[in-house]
PDB file of all heavy atoms in Angstrom:
ATOM      1  N   LEU C  18       5.728  -9.375  11.752  1.00 91.00           N
ATOM      2  CA  LEU C  18       6.105  -7.968  11.577  1.00 91.00           C
ATOM      3  C   LEU C  18       5.569  -7.096  12.711  1.00 91.00           C
ATOM      4  O   LEU C  18       6.265  -6.219  13.219  1.00 91.00           O
ATOM      5  CB  LEU C  18       5.542  -7.474  10.243  1.00 91.00           C
ATOM      6  CG  LEU C  18       6.240  -6.322   9.553  1.00 91.00           C
ATOM      7  CD1 LEU C  18       7.637  -6.724   9.133  1.00 91.00           C
ATOM      8  CD2 LEU C  18       5.447  -5.903   8.320  1.00 91.00           C
ATOM      9  N   SER C  19       4.314  -7.328  13.089  1.00 87.00           N
ATOM     10  CA  SER C  19       3.698  -6.432  14.071  1.00 87.00           C
ATOM     11  C   SER C  19       3.381  -7.129  15.384  1.00 87.00           C
ATOM     12  O   SER C  19       2.951  -6.489  16.338  1.00 87.00           O
ATOM     13  CB  SER C  19       2.400  -5.842  13.504  1.00 87.00           C
ATOM     14  OG  SER C  19       1.468  -6.864  13.256  1.00 87.00           O
ATOM     15  N   GLY C  20       3.619  -8.444  15.441  1.00 81.00           N
ATOM     16  CA  GLY C  20       3.187  -9.226  16.596  1.00 81.00           C
ATOM     17  C   GLY C  20       3.758  -8.728  17.901  1.00 81.00           C
ATOM     18  O   GLY C  20       4.963  -8.522  18.026  1.00 81.00           O
ATOM     19  N   GLY C  21       2.887  -8.552  18.893  1.00 80.00           N
ATOM     20  CA  GLY C  21       3.321  -8.194  20.224  1.00 80.00           C
ATOM     21  C   GLY C  21       3.701  -6.736  20.380  1.00 80.00           C
ATOM     22  O   GLY C  21       4.022  -6.290  21.469  1.00 80.00           O
ATOM     23  N   ARG C  22       3.685  -5.975  19.271  1.00 89.00           N
ATOM     24  CA  ARG C  22       4.068  -4.566  19.383  1.00 89.00           C
ATOM     25  C   ARG C  22       2.834  -3.695  19.485  1.00 89.00           C
ATOM     26  O   ARG C  22       1.810  -3.968  18.881  1.00 89.00           O
ATOM     27  CB  ARG C  22       4.885  -4.162  18.162  1.00 89.00           C
ATOM     28  CG  ARG C  22       6.182  -4.934  18.088  1.00 89.00           C
ATOM     29  CD  ARG C  22       7.076  -4.395  17.021  1.00 89.00           C
ATOM     30  NE  ARG C  22       7.484  -3.027  17.286  1.00 89.00           N
ATOM     31  CZ  ARG C  22       8.573  -2.481  16.765  1.00 89.00           C
ATOM     32  NH1 ARG C  22       9.352  -3.167  15.985  1.00 89.00           N
ATOM     33  NH2 ARG C  22       8.869  -1.228  17.033  1.00 89.00           N
ATOM     34  N   THR C  23       2.944  -2.606  20.236  1.00 89.00           N
ATOM     35  CA  THR C  23       1.787  -1.720  20.394  1.00 89.00           C
ATOM     36  C   THR C  23       2.120  -0.299  19.958  1.00 89.00           C
ATOM     37  O   THR C  23       1.392   0.628  20.259  1.00 89.00           O
ATOM     38  CB  THR C  23       1.313  -1.726  21.855  1.00 89.00           C
ATOM     39  OG1 THR C  23       2.434  -1.396  22.691  1.00 89.00           O
ATOM     40  CG2 THR C  23       0.756  -3.075  22.258  1.00 89.00           C
ATOM     41  N   ASP C  24       3.240  -0.155  19.236  1.00 91.00           N
ATOM     42  CA  ASP C  24       3.604   1.179  18.744  1.00 91.00           C
ATOM     43  C   ASP C  24       3.386   1.300  17.240  1.00 91.00           C
ATOM     44  O   ASP C  24       3.814   2.259  16.620  1.00 91.00           O
ATOM     45  CB  ASP C  24       5.078   1.467  19.076  1.00 91.00           C
ATOM     46  CG  ASP C  24       6.026   0.445  18.455  1.00 91.00           C
ATOM     47  OD1 ASP C  24       5.555  -0.670  18.104  1.00 91.00           O
ATOM     48  OD2 ASP C  24       7.217   0.750  18.317  1.00 91.00           O
ATOM     49  N   ILE C  25       2.717   0.310  16.659  1.00 94.00           N
ATOM     50  CA  ILE C  25       2.502   0.295  15.211  1.00 94.00           C
ATOM     51  C   ILE C  25       1.067   0.703  14.914  1.00 94.00           C
ATOM     52  O   ILE C  25       0.125   0.107  15.412  1.00 94.00           O
ATOM     53  CB  ILE C  25       2.786  -1.117  14.645  1.00 94.00           C
ATOM     54  CG1 ILE C  25       4.280  -1.437  14.790  1.00 94.00           C
ATOM     55  CG2 ILE C  25       2.338  -1.221  13.195  1.00 94.00           C
ATOM     56  CD1 ILE C  25       4.636  -2.859  14.391  1.00 94.00           C
ATOM     57  N   GLY C  26       0.912   1.740  14.106  1.00 93.00           N
ATOM     58  CA  GLY C  26      -0.438   2.185  13.752  1.00 93.00           C
ATOM     59  C   GLY C  26      -0.936   1.570  12.471  1.00 93.00           C
ATOM     60  O   GLY C  26      -2.140   1.413  12.268  1.00 93.00           O
ATOM     61  N   GLY C  27      -0.014   1.210  11.571  1.00 96.00           N
ATOM     62  CA  GLY C  27      -0.447   0.656  10.298  1.00 96.00           C
ATOM     63  C   GLY C  27       0.610  -0.223   9.660  1.00 96.00           C
ATOM     64  O   GLY C  27       1.803   0.029   9.797  1.00 96.00           O
ATOM     65  N   VAL C  28       0.136  -1.257   8.995  1.00 97.00           N
ATOM     66  CA  VAL C  28       1.017  -2.156   8.250  1.00 97.00           C
ATOM     67  C   VAL C  28       0.518  -2.180   6.805  1.00 97.00           C
ATOM     68  O   VAL C  28      -0.645  -2.476   6.558  1.00 97.00           O
ATOM     69  CB  VAL C  28       0.978  -3.588   8.821  1.00 97.00           C
ATOM     70  CG1 VAL C  28       1.870  -4.508   7.998  1.00 97.00           C
ATOM     71  CG2 VAL C  28       1.397  -3.596  10.288  1.00 97.00           C
ATOM     72  N   VAL C  29       1.405  -1.848   5.879  1.00 98.00           N
ATOM     73  CA  VAL C  29       1.046  -1.911   4.462  1.00 98.00           C
ATOM     74  C   VAL C  29       1.859  -3.023   3.822  1.00 98.00           C
ATOM     75  O   VAL C  29       3.060  -3.151   4.077  1.00 98.00           O
ATOM     76  CB  VAL C  29       1.313  -0.570   3.747  1.00 98.00           C
ATOM     77  CG1 VAL C  29       1.065  -0.699   2.239  1.00 98.00           C
ATOM     78  CG2 VAL C  29       0.426   0.523   4.321  1.00 98.00           C
ATOM     79  N   SER C  30       1.186  -3.838   3.038  1.00 97.00           N
ATOM     80  CA  SER C  30       1.905  -4.913   2.358  1.00 97.00           C
ATOM     81  C   SER C  30       1.540  -4.948   0.887  1.00 97.00           C
ATOM     82  O   SER C  30       0.440  -4.571   0.487  1.00 97.00           O
ATOM     83  CB  SER C  30       1.581  -6.269   2.999  1.00 97.00           C
ATOM     84  OG  SER C  30       0.254  -6.633   2.707  1.00 97.00           O
ATOM     85  N   PHE C  31       2.505  -5.371   0.097  1.00 98.00           N
ATOM     86  CA  PHE C  31       2.269  -5.631  -1.322  1.00 98.00           C
ATOM     87  C   PHE C  31       2.690  -7.062  -1.603  1.00 98.00           C
ATOM     88  O   PHE C  31       3.789  -7.473  -1.218  1.00 98.00           O
ATOM     89  CB  PHE C  31       3.092  -4.683  -2.202  1.00 98.00           C
ATOM     90  CG  PHE C  31       3.037  -5.049  -3.664  1.00 98.00           C
ATOM     91  CD1 PHE C  31       1.966  -4.652  -4.450  1.00 98.00           C
ATOM     92  CD2 PHE C  31       4.035  -5.819  -4.246  1.00 98.00           C
ATOM     93  CE1 PHE C  31       1.897  -5.008  -5.793  1.00 98.00           C
ATOM     94  CE2 PHE C  31       3.975  -6.190  -5.590  1.00 98.00           C
ATOM     95  CZ  PHE C  31       2.902  -5.770  -6.362  1.00 98.00           C
ATOM     96  N   VAL C  32       1.810  -7.810  -2.243  1.00 96.00           N
ATOM     97  CA  VAL C  32       2.143  -9.167  -2.668  1.00 96.00           C
ATOM     98  C   VAL C  32       1.993  -9.224  -4.185  1.00 96.00           C
ATOM     99  O   VAL C  32       0.931  -8.891  -4.723  1.00 96.00           O
ATOM    100  CB  VAL C  32       1.216 -10.213  -2.003  1.00 96.00           C
ATOM    101  CG1 VAL C  32       1.526 -11.603  -2.530  1.00 96.00           C
ATOM    102  CG2 VAL C  32       1.365 -10.161  -0.488  1.00 96.00           C
ATOM    103  N   GLY C  33       3.064  -9.592  -4.855  1.00 96.00           N
ATOM    104  CA  GLY C  33       3.037  -9.709  -6.316  1.00 96.00           C
ATOM    105  C   GLY C  33       2.819 -11.147  -6.730  1.00 96.00           C
ATOM    106  O   GLY C  33       3.404 -12.064  -6.160  1.00 96.00           O
ATOM    107  N   LEU C  34       1.944 -11.349  -7.717  1.00 95.00           N
ATOM    108  CA  LEU C  34       1.549 -12.695  -8.156  1.00 95.00           C
ATOM    109  C   LEU C  34       1.860 -12.867  -9.635  1.00 95.00           C
ATOM    110  O   LEU C  34       1.888 -11.896 -10.390  1.00 95.00           O
ATOM    111  CB  LEU C  34       0.041 -12.882  -7.931  1.00 95.00           C
ATOM    112  CG  LEU C  34      -0.479 -12.613  -6.512  1.00 95.00           C
ATOM    113  CD1 LEU C  34      -1.995 -12.463  -6.525  1.00 95.00           C
ATOM    114  CD2 LEU C  34      -0.081 -13.750  -5.590  1.00 95.00           C
ATOM    115  N   VAL C  35       2.037 -14.107 -10.052  1.00 95.00           N
ATOM    116  CA  VAL C  35       2.221 -14.406 -11.477  1.00 95.00           C
ATOM    117  C   VAL C  35       0.866 -14.313 -12.169  1.00 95.00           C
ATOM    118  O   VAL C  35      -0.090 -14.967 -11.752  1.00 95.00           O
ATOM    119  CB  VAL C  35       2.792 -15.823 -11.680  1.00 95.00           C
ATOM    120  CG1 VAL C  35       2.998 -16.096 -13.172  1.00 95.00           C
ATOM    121  CG2 VAL C  35       4.094 -16.005 -10.918  1.00 95.00           C
ATOM    122  N   ARG C  36       0.814 -13.508 -13.218  1.00 92.00           N
ATOM    123  CA  ARG C  36      -0.421 -13.425 -14.003  1.00 92.00           C
ATOM    124  C   ARG C  36      -0.379 -14.419 -15.156  1.00 92.00           C
ATOM    125  O   ARG C  36       0.692 -14.815 -15.605  1.00 92.00           O
ATOM    126  CB  ARG C  36      -0.578 -12.012 -14.581  1.00 92.00           C
ATOM    127  CG  ARG C  36      -1.186 -11.053 -13.585  1.00 92.00           C
ATOM    128  CD  ARG C  36      -1.504  -9.750 -14.262  1.00 92.00           C
ATOM    129  NE  ARG C  36      -0.300  -9.028 -14.643  1.00 92.00           N
ATOM    130  CZ  ARG C  36      -0.268  -8.084 -15.572  1.00 92.00           C
ATOM    131  NH1 ARG C  36      -1.361  -7.771 -16.241  1.00 92.00           N
ATOM    132  NH2 ARG C  36       0.860  -7.459 -15.845  1.00 92.00           N
TER     133      ARG C  36
END
Side-chain angles (χ1 to χ4, degrees):
Chain C
L18 206 65
S19 63
R22 297 189 63 157
T23 54
D24 59 340
I25 293 174
V28 178
V29 174
S30 70
F31 171 82
V32 176
L34 306 165
V35 181
R36 277 188 291 159

